Amino acid sequence: MTNPQATADHGYLSHRQILVVLAGLLAGRVVVAHNWPFDAMHLRAEFARIGKAVSSPRRLDLLDLLSQGEMDVETLAVRSGLTVKNTSAHLRTLRESRLVETIQRLIGGPA
C-alpha cells in the first residue's frame, strides 16, 4: 500500500496513478502479441521486479538522491541517514532491478 503523504512529499506516483497513466497511454491502441501468454508472463515479471525495488521508501529516497547526480555509497549513506551497510543492501536491490548502475573507477590509476 502506498503512503499518500510519502507520495506527495516525493512527487512519486502511487500504483493506482501509474495504472491510470498506463491505461491512458494504451487507450484506443491495439496491442499485438505473437504469443500473449508468454508475453504477459514477462510483463508481469518486469512489473514485479520494479515493484519490489520501489516498494521501500528508503530506496525511493536513494533514487531521488541519485537523480541529482552520481554519488558513492558513503555519500549516499550520509545524505540518506542510513548506514553504509544498509545503503549497500538497498543499492544491491536497485541494481538487481536494473534501476541503477554501478560505476567503478580506478583511483590514482591511468587516465
Side-chain angles (χ1 to χ4, degrees):
M1 168 130 50
T2 302
N3 177 339
Q5 187 58 44
T7 300
D9 291 344
H10 295 285
Y12 296 107
L13 297 176
S14 70
H15 296 102
R16 182 172 298 285
Q17 290 168 315
I18 291 170
L19 289 174
V20 168
V21 169
L22 184 59
L25 291 171
L26 295 175
R29 302 196 192 289
V30 176
V31 177
V32 178
H34 172 69
N35 181 348
W36 178 245
F38 180 80
D39 294 343
M41 176 184 67
H42 285 283
L43 282 172
R44 282 191 297 273
E46 286 299 301
F47 280 121
R49 175 182 63 78
I50 293 169
K52 176 187 175 194
V54 297
S55 66
S56 164
R58 294 294 192 173
R59 287 193 285 272
L60 290 176
D61 290 341
L62 292 174
L63 286 171
D64 186 39
L65 288 170
L66 287 169
S67 73
Q68 300 167 24
E70 292 180 14
M71 289 179 220
D72 59 35
V73 176
E74 290 80 10
T75 302
L76 277 171
V78 169
R79 293 196 53 197
S80 65
L82 296 171
T83 65
V84 170
K85 183 177 179 178
N86 283 341
T87 301
S88 292
H90 284 301
L91 288 172
R92 186 177 319 107
T93 300
L94 292 169
R95 234 183 356 266
E96 289 168 355
S97 297
R98 297 187 300 268
L99 293 176
V100 298
E101 293 180 335
T102 300
I103 300 173
Q104 297 178 348
R105 293 191 174 91
L106 294 174
I107 306 297

